[in-house]
Amino acid sequence: MRASKSNNGNQINNDESIQIHISGAEGIYDDNEINKVVKEYIKRAMNHSRGKPDKIFLTIESLKQSPFEISLLSLSTVSCNSPEEAREFIISKLQPLGIAKDIIENAFRIINSPITMRGASLIKTESGIPCEPDTVRGVRVSRLGIDKESQKRLSRKLAKLNINTTRVKEALTIASKVAYHKSVVAEICVSDDPDYTTGYIASKELGYIRITNIKRLGDMNGGRVFFIREDTDINELINYLEKTPVIIR
Ligand code: WAQ
Ligand code: MG
């Protein structure tokens, strides 16, 4: 699902480029769940803190290949008191993975830019070159899900931490699919919802580290950056992120 609204309420101009991203969601489901999920997705799009959409797109496709299974990253939470403190923490964790400070700072410029992408930016770790074919759209991780037993077990664990929300489960699922790929070094994520100020960094080594106050309340900017190896086969990576079905078990 993706929902957007036109920039100026100008209904005559239907140009994609002036659409503001409101909400997006994706998953892998059984046939008998589709009605329910579609209802939930529409509800989510229609009641969003980023505003009321004037377009909602839904795509339902049957999988042509069976999903392969991966496990979830481990989860931890770090309390930061301000975006500045969060940024210092992130730099201290990502620099040892071989990502230079100026490249991390550049990633923050992309995330904090008022033009909110609906996908992620792919940035090469050494040169800092952005590799997404469409810098307005970004690369959207799709075709991912979690099997029912694992979902239940995860819900119980998250409930103990008081964070059993769809948002946390979806973010952890996305981060796990992304980190699994050999070309991905790390991810930074900041929600673009003005009412959600916890973000995360993730990698195979670090796991999924939630970070409080990664942005200020009311801030409409956010995004995702995937730091990738210099020698990445970009087409292969994008095909994995967008098209290869992956299920968490
Ligand atoms: N693939 C690539 N990029 C995406 C995707 C996706 N499937 N979904 C969202 N994005 C990008 C896009 O640029 C959005 O603007 C941005 O990420 C933020 O998306 O543990 O709510 O759905 O407490 O607003 C993380 C912390 C919350 C959860 C993330 O992101 C926790 C969140 P949002
Ligand atoms: Mg959002």
Side-chain angles (χ1 to χ4, degrees):
M1 178 278 290
R2 68 184 170 91
S4 62
K5 72 173 179 195
S6 52
N7 201 354
N8 46 10
N10 178 357
Q11 297 297 329
I12 299 159
N13 192 340
N14 268 329
D15 184 350
E16 262 281 298
S17 63
I18 61 146
Q19 288 286 308
I20 297 172
H21 173 71
I22 299 287
S23 172
E26 43 277 301
I28 296 177
Y29 300 98
D30 292 332
D31 287 3
N32 62 7
E33 297 173 291
I34 291 176
N35 270 316
K36 183 168 155 261
V37 172
V38 164
K39 263 191 201 155
E40 279 166 14
Y41 279 178
I42 293 173
K43 193 169 156 199
R44 198 195 296 195
M46 301 280 280
N47 300 284
H48 205 280
S49 61
R50 287 181 57 76
K52 196 156 176 69
D54 52 28
K55 279 184 187 172
I56 301 173
F57 300 85
L58 280 163
T59 307
I60 304 170
E61 297 167 293
S62 66
L63 292 180
K64 298 284 183 282
Q65 81 197 90
S66 48
F68 80 91
E69 294 176 9
I70 65 169
S71 42
L72 280 180
L73 294 173
S74 61
L75 177 146
S76 59
T77 303
V78 167
S79 289
C80 287
N81 291 315
S82 67
E84 293 72 25
E85 198 183 318
R87 188 182 292 223
E88 285 310 305
F89 172 76
I90 291 167
I91 291 169
S92 78
K93 286 290 178 188
L94 297 189
Q95 255 181 335
L97 300 180
I99 312 168
K101 189 174 176 188
D102 60 323
I103 290 176
I104 302 169
E105 276 166 354
N106 202 28
F108 275 107
R109 273 192 282 280
I110 295 171
I111 289 171
N112 293 330
S113 142
I115 304 153
T116 302
M117 296 170 144
R118 71 182 146 96
S121 178
L122 310 180
I123 300 208
K124 284 194 172 168
T125 312
E126 285 159 39
S127 60
I129 297 171
C131 298
E132 63 280 8
D134 180 339
T135 50
V136 177
R137 177 185 181 275
V139 172
R140 184 98 195 166
V141 184
S142 194
R143 301 194 187 167
L144 73 175
I146 181 160
D147 96 290
K148 288 205 186 61
E149 262 317 301
S150 311
Q151 158 100 2
K152 276 187 206 150
R153 225 172 325 141
L154 177 63
S155 290
R156 280 198 295 274
K157 286 190 174 180
L158 293 176
K160 286 190 189 141
L161 302 168
N162 259 322
I163 49 170
N164 185 25
T165 62
T166 304
R167 186 193 300 270
V168 174
K169 281 186 270 198
E170 285 181 351
L172 185 54
T173 306
I174 292 175
S176 300
K177 179 175 179 183
V178 173
Y180 182 82
H181 195 279
K182 64 180 189 312
S183 297
V184 175
V185 178
E187 171 183 1
I188 304 182
C189 169
V190 178
S191 177
D192 57 359
D193 302 7
D195 55 353
Y196 202 77
T197 58
T198 299
Y200 69 82
I201 54 173
S203 84
K204 292 172 202 69
E205 298 83 358
L206 300 171
Y208 175 90
I209 309 180
R210 309 175 64 239
I211 302 166
T212 64
N213 296 305
I214 202 167
K215 74 172 198 180
R216 276 177 232 290
L217 197 64
D219 186 346
M220 292 285 284
N221 306 331
R224 274 177 162 90
V225 169
F226 305 158
F227 296 100
I228 59 172
R229 291 188 203 290
E230 216 54 38
D231 61 359
T232 300
D233 176 343
I234 301 295
N235 289 333
E236 190 274 333
L237 174 61
I238 293 177
N239 188 61
Y240 168 77
L241 295 171
E242 295 191 331
K243 301 268 159 63
T244 307
V246 165
I247 196 109
I248 305 287
R249 198 181 293 274

mmCIF file of all heavy atoms in Angstrom, residues 32-63:
data_model
loop_
_atom_site.group_PDB
_atom_site.id
_atom_site.type_symbol
_atom_site.label_atom_id
_atom_site.label_comp_id
_atom_site.label_asym_id
_atom_site.label_seq_id
_atom_site.Cartn_x
_atom_site.Cartn_y
_atom_site.Cartn_z
ATOM 1 N N ASN A 32 -6.537 -16.124 2.633
ATOM 2 C CA ASN A 32 -7.682 -15.850 3.515
ATOM 3 C C ASN A 32 -7.465 -14.648 4.439
ATOM 4 O O ASN A 32 -8.361 -14.258 5.165
ATOM 5 C CB ASN A 32 -8.057 -17.112 4.321
ATOM 6 C CG ASN A 32 -6.919 -17.563 5.217
ATOM 7 O OD1 ASN A 32 -5.898 -16.877 5.346
ATOM 8 N ND2 ASN A 32 -7.067 -18.707 5.849
ATOM 9 N N GLU A 33 -6.280 -14.051 4.412
ATOM 10 C CA GLU A 33 -6.007 -12.880 5.256
ATOM 11 C C GLU A 33 -6.144 -11.575 4.481
ATOM 12 O O GLU A 33 -6.134 -10.490 5.075
ATOM 13 C CB GLU A 33 -4.568 -12.932 5.786
ATOM 14 C CG GLU A 33 -4.243 -14.101 6.682
ATOM 15 C CD GLU A 33 -2.748 -14.140 7.005
ATOM 16 O OE1 GLU A 33 -1.953 -14.409 6.092
ATOM 17 O OE2 GLU A 33 -2.394 -13.869 8.157
ATOM 18 N N ILE A 34 -6.271 -11.686 3.149
ATOM 19 C CA ILE A 34 -6.130 -10.493 2.318
ATOM 20 C C ILE A 34 -7.196 -9.426 2.606
ATOM 21 O O ILE A 34 -6.864 -8.246 2.759
ATOM 22 C CB ILE A 34 -6.071 -10.871 0.816
ATOM 23 C CG1 ILE A 34 -4.741 -11.591 0.560
ATOM 24 C CG2 ILE A 34 -6.174 -9.646 -0.076
ATOM 25 C CD1 ILE A 34 -4.548 -12.125 -0.828
ATOM 26 N N ASN A 35 -8.454 -9.867 2.738
ATOM 27 C CA ASN A 35 -9.514 -8.885 3.014
ATOM 28 C C ASN A 35 -9.220 -8.060 4.263
ATOM 29 O O ASN A 35 -9.334 -6.841 4.261
ATOM 30 C CB ASN A 35 -10.855 -9.599 3.218
ATOM 31 C CG ASN A 35 -11.580 -9.738 1.906
ATOM 32 O OD1 ASN A 35 -11.633 -8.786 1.130
ATOM 33 N ND2 ASN A 35 -12.115 -10.906 1.647
ATOM 34 N N LYS A 36 -8.834 -8.758 5.305
ATOM 35 C CA LYS A 36 -8.570 -8.110 6.589
ATOM 36 C C LYS A 36 -7.379 -7.139 6.471
ATOM 37 O O LYS A 36 -7.431 -6.003 6.940
ATOM 38 C CB LYS A 36 -8.274 -9.212 7.619
ATOM 39 C CG LYS A 36 -8.040 -8.737 9.010
ATOM 40 C CD LYS A 36 -8.051 -9.930 9.999
ATOM 41 C CE LYS A 36 -7.247 -9.617 11.234
ATOM 42 N NZ LYS A 36 -5.887 -10.198 11.198
ATOM 43 N N VAL A 37 -6.320 -7.602 5.805
ATOM 44 C CA VAL A 37 -5.116 -6.782 5.693
ATOM 45 C C VAL A 37 -5.385 -5.526 4.863
ATOM 46 O O VAL A 37 -4.952 -4.429 5.229
ATOM 47 C CB VAL A 37 -3.963 -7.609 5.068
ATOM 48 C CG1 VAL A 37 -2.771 -6.726 4.760
ATOM 49 C CG2 VAL A 37 -3.558 -8.740 5.988
ATOM 50 N N VAL A 38 -6.139 -5.701 3.788
ATOM 51 C CA VAL A 38 -6.446 -4.549 2.940
ATOM 52 C C VAL A 38 -7.225 -3.499 3.735
ATOM 53 O O VAL A 38 -6.938 -2.303 3.665
ATOM 54 C CB VAL A 38 -7.218 -5.000 1.675
ATOM 55 C CG1 VAL A 38 -7.876 -3.826 0.978
ATOM 56 C CG2 VAL A 38 -6.282 -5.725 0.722
ATOM 57 N N LYS A 39 -8.176 -3.968 4.534
ATOM 58 C CA LYS A 39 -8.948 -3.041 5.393
ATOM 59 C C LYS A 39 -8.019 -2.288 6.340
ATOM 60 O O LYS A 39 -8.140 -1.085 6.531
ATOM 61 C CB LYS A 39 -9.976 -3.817 6.218
ATOM 62 C CG LYS A 39 -11.337 -3.822 5.601
ATOM 63 C CD LYS A 39 -12.348 -4.365 6.599
ATOM 64 C CE LYS A 39 -13.566 -4.835 5.840
ATOM 65 N NZ LYS A 39 -14.309 -5.858 6.541
ATOM 66 N N GLU A 40 -7.101 -3.037 6.960
ATOM 67 C CA GLU A 40 -6.168 -2.414 7.910
ATOM 68 C C GLU A 40 -5.273 -1.389 7.206
ATOM 69 O O GLU A 40 -5.013 -0.315 7.735
ATOM 70 C CB GLU A 40 -5.287 -3.484 8.563
ATOM 71 C CG GLU A 40 -5.970 -4.204 9.708
ATOM 72 C CD GLU A 40 -5.226 -5.477 10.108
ATOM 73 O OE1 GLU A 40 -4.053 -5.660 9.689
ATOM 74 O OE2 GLU A 40 -5.834 -6.287 10.820
ATOM 75 N N TYR A 41 -4.796 -1.745 6.016
ATOM 76 C CA TYR A 41 -3.922 -0.834 5.279
ATOM 77 C C TYR A 41 -4.663 0.459 4.908
ATOM 78 O O TYR A 41 -4.118 1.555 5.003
ATOM 79 C CB TYR A 41 -3.392 -1.514 4.006
ATOM 80 C CG TYR A 41 -2.198 -2.448 4.222
ATOM 81 C CD1 TYR A 41 -1.666 -3.157 3.152
ATOM 82 C CD2 TYR A 41 -1.591 -2.603 5.463
ATOM 83 C CE1 TYR A 41 -0.566 -4.003 3.313
ATOM 84 C CE2 TYR A 41 -0.498 -3.448 5.636
ATOM 85 C CZ TYR A 41 0.006 -4.149 4.553
ATOM 86 O OH TYR A 41 1.085 -4.967 4.711
ATOM 87 N N ILE A 42 -5.923 0.315 4.491
ATOM 88 C CA ILE A 42 -6.685 1.508 4.106
ATOM 89 C C ILE A 42 -6.931 2.393 5.333
ATOM 90 O O ILE A 42 -6.767 3.609 5.278
ATOM 91 C CB ILE A 42 -8.017 1.122 3.408
ATOM 92 C CG1 ILE A 42 -7.713 0.458 2.063
ATOM 93 C CG2 ILE A 42 -8.902 2.346 3.204
ATOM 94 C CD1 ILE A 42 -8.910 -0.121 1.351
ATOM 95 N N LYS A 43 -7.253 1.745 6.440
ATOM 96 C CA LYS A 43 -7.473 2.486 7.682
ATOM 97 C C LYS A 43 -6.199 3.256 8.071
ATOM 98 O O LYS A 43 -6.236 4.425 8.446
ATOM 99 C CB LYS A 43 -7.844 1.488 8.784
ATOM 100 C CG LYS A 43 -8.392 2.114 10.031
ATOM 101 C CD LYS A 43 -8.965 1.014 10.929
ATOM 102 C CE LYS A 43 -8.971 1.469 12.368
ATOM 103 N NZ LYS A 43 -9.067 0.343 13.297
ATOM 104 N N ARG A 44 -5.081 2.569 7.932
ATOM 105 C CA ARG A 44 -3.814 3.189 8.283
ATOM 106 C C ARG A 44 -3.532 4.406 7.398
ATOM 107 O O ARG A 44 -3.099 5.453 7.857
ATOM 108 C CB ARG A 44 -2.694 2.150 8.102
ATOM 109 C CG ARG A 44 -1.440 2.541 8.820
ATOM 110 C CD ARG A 44 -0.257 1.754 8.385
ATOM 111 N NE ARG A 44 -0.304 0.329 8.661
ATOM 112 C CZ ARG A 44 0.787 -0.437 8.607
ATOM 113 N NH1 ARG A 44 1.962 0.100 8.336
ATOM 114 N NH2 ARG A 44 0.707 -1.718 8.821
ATOM 115 N N ALA A 45 -3.816 4.247 6.115
ATOM 116 C CA ALA A 45 -3.569 5.347 5.177
ATOM 117 C C ALA A 45 -4.478 6.543 5.469
ATOM 118 O O ALA A 45 -4.050 7.697 5.396
ATOM 119 C CB ALA A 45 -3.784 4.865 3.750
ATOM 120 N N MET A 46 -5.738 6.237 5.828
ATOM 121 C CA MET A 46 -6.734 7.308 5.999
ATOM 122 C C MET A 46 -6.596 8.050 7.330
ATOM 123 O O MET A 46 -7.156 9.122 7.497
ATOM 124 C CB MET A 46 -8.155 6.727 5.919
ATOM 125 C CG MET A 46 -8.474 6.037 4.626
ATOM 126 S SD MET A 46 -8.885 7.183 3.314
ATOM 127 C CE MET A 46 -10.578 7.549 3.729
ATOM 128 N N ASN A 47 -5.896 7.440 8.284
ATOM 129 C CA ASN A 47 -5.770 8.057 9.614
ATOM 130 C C ASN A 47 -4.298 8.226 9.937
ATOM 131 O O ASN A 47 -3.767 7.580 10.831
ATOM 132 C CB ASN A 47 -6.411 7.166 10.685
ATOM 133 C CG ASN A 47 -7.876 6.947 10.410
ATOM 134 O OD1 ASN A 47 -8.689 7.824 10.640
ATOM 135 N ND2 ASN A 47 -8.203 5.781 9.882
ATOM 136 N N HIS A 48 -3.620 9.059 9.185
ATOM 137 C CA HIS A 48 -2.174 9.150 9.347
ATOM 138 C C HIS A 48 -1.737 10.510 9.856
ATOM 139 O O HIS A 48 -2.296 11.527 9.459
ATOM 140 C CB HIS A 48 -1.488 8.836 8.015
ATOM 141 C CG HIS A 48 -0.099 8.334 8.188
ATOM 142 N ND1 HIS A 48 0.957 9.185 8.418
ATOM 143 C CD2 HIS A 48 0.405 7.088 8.225
ATOM 144 C CE1 HIS A 48 2.049 8.469 8.566
ATOM 145 N NE2 HIS A 48 1.750 7.188 8.455
ATOM 146 N N SER A 49 -0.719 10.494 10.741
ATOM 147 C CA SER A 49 -0.262 11.763 11.326
ATOM 148 C C SER A 49 0.400 12.676 10.295
ATOM 149 O O SER A 49 0.574 13.865 10.540
ATOM 150 C CB SER A 49 0.708 11.491 12.486
ATOM 151 O OG SER A 49 1.847 10.796 12.016
ATOM 152 N N ARG A 50 0.768 12.121 9.103
ATOM 153 C CA ARG A 50 1.371 12.994 8.081
ATOM 154 C C ARG A 50 0.313 13.724 7.254
ATOM 155 O O ARG A 50 0.650 14.558 6.422
ATOM 156 C CB ARG A 50 2.275 12.187 7.137
ATOM 157 C CG ARG A 50 3.584 11.768 7.807
ATOM 158 C CD ARG A 50 4.471 10.990 6.856
ATOM 159 N NE ARG A 50 4.808 11.675 5.637
ATOM 160 C CZ ARG A 50 5.699 12.646 5.533
ATOM 161 N NH1 ARG A 50 6.365 13.052 6.589
ATOM 162 N NH2 ARG A 50 5.940 13.213 4.371
ATOM 163 N N GLY A 51 -0.948 13.386 7.462
ATOM 164 C CA GLY A 51 -1.996 14.100 6.732
ATOM 165 C C GLY A 51 -2.941 13.150 6.047
ATOM 166 O O GLY A 51 -2.788 11.928 6.128
ATOM 167 N N LYS A 52 -3.948 13.725 5.371
ATOM 168 C CA LYS A 52 -4.953 12.902 4.705
ATOM 169 C C LYS A 52 -4.554 12.718 3.243
ATOM 170 O O LYS A 52 -4.335 13.682 2.518
ATOM 171 C CB LYS A 52 -6.312 13.592 4.798
ATOM 172 C CG LYS A 52 -7.462 12.647 4.485
ATOM 173 C CD LYS A 52 -8.768 13.138 5.124
ATOM 174 C CE LYS A 52 -9.933 12.255 4.733
ATOM 175 N NZ LYS A 52 -9.879 10.915 5.303
ATOM 176 N N PRO A 53 -4.464 11.465 2.806
ATOM 177 C CA PRO A 53 -4.051 11.231 1.417
ATOM 178 C C PRO A 53 -5.179 11.561 0.434
ATOM 179 O O PRO A 53 -6.354 11.493 0.805
ATOM 180 C CB PRO A 53 -3.747 9.727 1.383
ATOM 181 C CG PRO A 53 -4.565 9.152 2.479
ATOM 182 C CD PRO A 53 -4.696 10.210 3.532
ATOM 183 N N ASP A 54 -4.814 11.928 -0.797
ATOM 184 C CA ASP A 54 -5.851 11.995 -1.821
ATOM 185 C C ASP A 54 -5.707 10.874 -2.848
ATOM 186 O O ASP A 54 -6.479 10.787 -3.790
ATOM 187 C CB ASP A 54 -5.935 13.384 -2.467
ATOM 188 C CG ASP A 54 -4.616 13.898 -2.972
ATOM 189 O OD1 ASP A 54 -3.760 13.069 -3.332
ATOM 190 O OD2 ASP A 54 -4.434 15.126 -3.007
ATOM 191 N N LYS A 55 -4.707 10.003 -2.639
ATOM 192 C CA LYS A 55 -4.570 8.808 -3.476
ATOM 193 C C LYS A 55 -4.071 7.667 -2.615
ATOM 194 O O LYS A 55 -3.144 7.844 -1.828
ATOM 195 C CB LYS A 55 -3.497 9.020 -4.548
ATOM 196 C CG LYS A 55 -3.921 9.770 -5.761
ATOM 197 C CD LYS A 55 -2.765 9.775 -6.735
ATOM 198 C CE LYS A 55 -3.086 10.666 -7.910
ATOM 199 N NZ LYS A 55 -1.913 10.851 -8.776
ATOM 200 N N ILE A 56 -4.681 6.505 -2.778
ATOM 201 C CA ILE A 56 -4.167 5.294 -2.113
ATOM 202 C C ILE A 56 -4.014 4.219 -3.188
ATOM 203 O O ILE A 56 -4.951 3.950 -3.935
ATOM 204 C CB ILE A 56 -5.128 4.787 -1.019
ATOM 205 C CG1 ILE A 56 -5.346 5.878 0.049
ATOM 206 C CG2 ILE A 56 -4.582 3.518 -0.364
ATOM 207 C CD1 ILE A 56 -6.409 5.517 1.083
ATOM 208 N N PHE A 57 -2.836 3.652 -3.274
ATOM 209 C CA PHE A 57 -2.588 2.584 -4.243
ATOM 210 C C PHE A 57 -2.437 1.267 -3.493
ATOM 211 O O PHE A 57 -1.730 1.205 -2.502
ATOM 212 C CB PHE A 57 -1.277 2.830 -5.003
ATOM 213 C CG PHE A 57 -1.249 4.109 -5.774
ATOM 214 C CD1 PHE A 57 -0.890 5.308 -5.157
ATOM 215 C CD2 PHE A 57 -1.562 4.126 -7.124
ATOM 216 C CE1 PHE A 57 -0.855 6.497 -5.867
ATOM 217 C CE2 PHE A 57 -1.525 5.315 -7.844
ATOM 218 C CZ PHE A 57 -1.172 6.506 -7.214
ATOM 219 N N LEU A 58 -3.104 0.241 -4.008
ATOM 220 C CA LEU A 58 -2.946 -1.091 -3.421
ATOM 221 C C LEU A 58 -2.509 -2.050 -4.517
ATOM 222 O O LEU A 58 -3.096 -2.049 -5.605
ATOM 223 C CB LEU A 58 -4.286 -1.578 -2.867
ATOM 224 C CG LEU A 58 -4.692 -1.027 -1.507
ATOM 225 C CD1 LEU A 58 -6.167 -1.242 -1.280
ATOM 226 C CD2 LEU A 58 -3.891 -1.675 -0.395
ATOM 227 N N THR A 59 -1.498 -2.827 -4.260
ATOM 228 C CA THR A 59 -1.072 -3.838 -5.225
ATOM 229 C C THR A 59 -1.083 -5.183 -4.531
ATOM 230 O O THR A 59 -0.504 -5.324 -3.450
ATOM 231 C CB THR A 59 0.364 -3.537 -5.714
ATOM 232 O OG1 THR A 59 0.417 -2.194 -6.176
ATOM 233 C CG2 THR A 59 0.767 -4.474 -6.829
ATOM 234 N N ILE A 60 -1.754 -6.140 -5.137
ATOM 235 C CA ILE A 60 -1.778 -7.499 -4.578
ATOM 236 C C ILE A 60 -1.258 -8.444 -5.655
ATOM 237 O O ILE A 60 -1.774 -8.467 -6.766
ATOM 238 C CB ILE A 60 -3.213 -7.905 -4.157
ATOM 239 C CG1 ILE A 60 -3.769 -6.868 -3.163
ATOM 240 C CG2 ILE A 60 -3.218 -9.307 -3.550
ATOM 241 C CD1 ILE A 60 -5.247 -7.035 -2.880
ATOM 242 N N GLU A 61 -0.186 -9.142 -5.334
ATOM 243 C CA GLU A 61 0.427 -10.049 -6.312
ATOM 244 C C GLU A 61 0.608 -11.414 -5.678
ATOM 245 O O GLU A 61 0.951 -11.497 -4.496
ATOM 246 C CB GLU A 61 1.834 -9.549 -6.681
ATOM 247 C CG GLU A 61 1.885 -8.220 -7.347
ATOM 248 C CD GLU A 61 3.316 -7.687 -7.361
ATOM 249 O OE1 GLU A 61 3.847 -7.391 -6.274
ATOM 250 O OE2 GLU A 61 3.890 -7.591 -8.446
ATOM 251 N N SER A 62 0.433 -12.482 -6.469
ATOM 252 C CA SER A 62 0.751 -13.793 -5.918
ATOM 253 C C SER A 62 2.254 -14.026 -6.092
ATOM 254 O O SER A 62 2.851 -13.588 -7.083
ATOM 255 C CB SER A 62 -0.060 -14.882 -6.602
ATOM 256 O OG SER A 62 0.330 -14.982 -7.942
ATOM 257 N N LEU A 63 2.857 -14.677 -5.109
ATOM 258 C CA LEU A 63 4.300 -14.916 -5.169
ATOM 259 C C LEU A 63 4.605 -15.991 -6.206
ATOM 260 O O LEU A 63 3.951 -17.021 -6.255
ATOM 261 C CB LEU A 63 4.825 -15.368 -3.810
ATOM 262 C CG LEU A 63 4.798 -14.329 -2.689
ATOM 263 C CD1 LEU A 63 5.364 -14.944 -1.409
ATOM 264 C CD2 LEU A 63 5.583 -13.081 -3.059
#
